[in-house]
């Protein structure tokens, strides 16, 4: 029997770390130690302790220097994730970071160089695909040829702002990275995955502030047009989910193929079926509803296997780099056009 992967955590500033660590544990890994920055909020610390009460908190240096650890997970402040990932790789550890993996093209260049130098895995947990069973099922349907060749993706990523709960760094562009770097990162990942694109470019990008005039440096709306060697894509992201919606966002993905299309209603079917992970398939034989519950979240077990076998079955390294580069390039394009102010 293969040994269990040993996991260290550095940075619990975003709640995504709970799902990342819990999913690794569900895949058979052991969460061994955790650390976080001095600015991490009490609520974030308490949430991690509640889920992992038996995992000791240690200094960051001690976690990095623990030779028994295989991988470091991080959902630190967005702008700090590159530093942590680089330190972890140089300490001989693989890395899984929350999205965005970094907040500037300069940081990405440094990560690329250190990954090439060390041969370690640098993977990004794009949770809107990797922790969503409807996305898993969509990938299976596409692989079966149910909609022919994928032509285009249309991804919608609305989020609820929950302004009173947000830490100071959330509002600071230099620390969050901007809306296209941050929440649109999910859309770049899905575009590449569902179209099978291995090269891509940003055709146009926009970021702006439409509903938060009291925070002039904040971006609450963004959209992007993409072109890849496997298809085209459009994405819209925002912080405009109304309080009346019973979930944080009506995340959707439509995947157009030459012989049909798939629509994912990931978190809610408005005024329709209860629950989440709704999949609608239309092809030559008709229209079908599928509940994706039970489709699984294979990324985490695959990552554990890759750590032992030095493989890329969970996420090709080139994919993690390209999805991140597209997000950063879109953000830069939007801001160069004088948007996002």
């Amino acid at each position: 029997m293969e040994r269990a992967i040993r996991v260290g955590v550095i940075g619990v500033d975003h709640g995504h770390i709970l799902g990342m660590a819990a999913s690794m544990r569900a895949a058979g890994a052991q969460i061994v130690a955790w650390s976080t920055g001095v600015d991490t909020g009490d609520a974030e610390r308490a949430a991690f302790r509640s889920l992992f009460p038996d995992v000791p908190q240690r200094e960051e240096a001690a976690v990095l220097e623990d030779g028994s650890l295989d991988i470091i997970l991080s959902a630190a402040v967005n702008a700090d994730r590159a530093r942590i990932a680089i330190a972890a790789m140089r300490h001989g550890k693989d890395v899984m970071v929350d999205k965005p993996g970094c907040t500037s093209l300069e940081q990405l260049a440094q990560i690329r160089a250190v990954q090439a130098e060390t041969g370690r895995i640098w993977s990004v947990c794009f949770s809107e695909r990797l922790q969503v069973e409807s996305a898993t099922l969509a990938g299976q349907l596409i692989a079966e040829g149910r909609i022919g060749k994928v032509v285009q993706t249309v991804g919608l990523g609305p989020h609820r702002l929950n302004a009173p709960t947000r830490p100071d760094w959330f509002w600071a562009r230099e620390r969050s990275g901007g809306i296209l770097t941050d929440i649109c990162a999910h859309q770049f990942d899905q575009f590449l995955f569902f179209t099978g694109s291995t090269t891509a470019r940003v055709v146009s990008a926009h970021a702006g502030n439409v509903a938060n005039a009291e925070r002039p440096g904040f971006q609450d709306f963004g959209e992007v047009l993409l072109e890849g060697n496997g298809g085209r894509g459009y994405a819209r992201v925002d912080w405009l989910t109304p309080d009346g919606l019973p979930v944080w966002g009506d995340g959707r993905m439509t995947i157009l193929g030459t012989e049909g299309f798939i629509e994912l209603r990931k978190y809610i079917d408005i005024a329709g079926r209860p629950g989440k992970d709704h999949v609608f398939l239309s092809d030559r034989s008709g229209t079908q509803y599928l509940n994706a519950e039970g489709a699984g979240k294979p990324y985490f077990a695959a990552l554990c296997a890759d750590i032992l076998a030095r493989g890329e079955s969970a996420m090709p390294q080139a994919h993690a780099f390209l999805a991140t580069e597209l997000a950063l390039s879109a953000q830069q394009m939007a801001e160069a056009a004088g948007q996002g102010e």
Side-chain angles (χ1 to χ4, degrees), residues 39-84:
D39 295 328
T40 304
D42 292 340
E44 288 75 21
R45 294 171 186 268
F48 193 86
R49 289 193 186 103
S50 177
L51 191 60
F52 301 98
D54 299 326
V55 178
Q57 182 176 0
R58 299 164 67 185
E59 294 295 325
E60 179 178 317
V63 177
L64 288 171
E65 292 165 8
D66 185 340
S68 76
L69 300 180
D70 297 292
I71 186 169
I72 297 296
L73 312 187
S74 181
V77 174
N78 296 359
D80 295 339
R81 293 173 189 173
R83 175 191 62 78
I84 292 167

Side-chain angles (χ1 to χ4, degrees), residues 85-333:
I86 288 169
M89 288 189 284
R90 285 184 169 154
H91 280 81
K93 296 167 175 59
D94 295 320
V95 176
M96 183 219 294
V97 291
D98 183 22
K99 66 79 220 161
C102 57
T103 54
S104 71
L105 289 167
E106 292 76 16
Q107 286 184 345
L108 180 60
Q110 294 168 5
I111 291 168
R112 283 182 187 268
V114 173
Q115 190 280 323
E117 166 195 324
T118 63
R120 307 315 304 179
I121 295 168
W122 182 78
S123 194
V124 182
C125 186
F126 298 106
S127 56
E128 290 188 23
R129 174 172 67 90
L130 302 176
Q131 293 188 313
V132 172
E133 290 185 299
S134 56
T136 302
L137 179 57
Q140 294 169 355
L141 294 170
I142 292 168
E144 292 169 6
R146 294 291 297 273
I147 62 170
K149 181 185 182 302
V150 173
V151 175
Q152 185 209 36
T153 63
V154 175
L156 307 181
H159 288 62
R160 179 174 284 121
L161 187 58
N162 287 330
T165 70
R166 298 294 178 178
D168 290 343
W169 65 263
F170 174 83
W171 306 104
R173 160 66 182 84
E174 67 276 9
R175 302 200 77 197
S176 71
I179 193 169
L180 300 181
T181 293
D182 186 11
I183 58 175
C184 205
H186 293 296
Q187 305 303 325
F188 296 107
D189 162 69
Q190 290 171 92
F191 162 73
L192 293 176
F193 179 77
F194 289 128
T195 65
S197 292
T198 54
T199 62
R201 71 183 183 96
V202 178
V203 177
S204 66
H206 170 85
N209 184 329
V210 299
N212 290 274
E214 74 281 8
R215 297 185 184 275
F218 182 63
Q219 300 164 0
D220 58 17
F221 178 88
E223 59 182 352
V224 177
L225 185 64
L226 295 159
E227 180 181 59
N229 61 340
R232 296 179 67 85
Y234 170 81
R236 189 209 81 209
V237 292
D238 63 72
W239 289 105
L240 303 175
T241 293
D243 290 341
L245 194 74
V247 295
W248 56 266
D250 181 18
R252 301 190 183 199
M253 169 63 66
T254 300
I255 307 162
L256 176 65
T258 55
E259 299 177 19
F261 68 89
I262 299 168
E263 182 180 355
L264 313 183
R265 298 185 182 182
K266 297 180 179 181
Y267 312 113
I268 187 172
D269 183 8
I270 292 181
R273 298 168 179 83
K276 59 182 181 178
D277 284 312
H278 307 280
V279 177
F280 301 87
L281 170 67
S282 295
D283 60 12
R284 290 177 174 176
S285 63
T287 297
Q288 181 179 7
Y289 168 77
L290 300 164
N291 187 310
E293 184 177 0
K297 305 171 185 178
Y299 164 79
F300 300 94
L303 181 59
C304 289
D306 287 343
I307 291 168
L308 296 174
R310 309 316 299 164
E312 294 190 7
S313 63
M315 178 182 295
Q317 188 61 73
H319 175 101
F321 284 145
L322 180 55
T324 303
E325 181 181 350
L326 289 170
L328 296 168
S329 298
Q331 186 73 45
Q332 185 179 73
M333 180 183 292

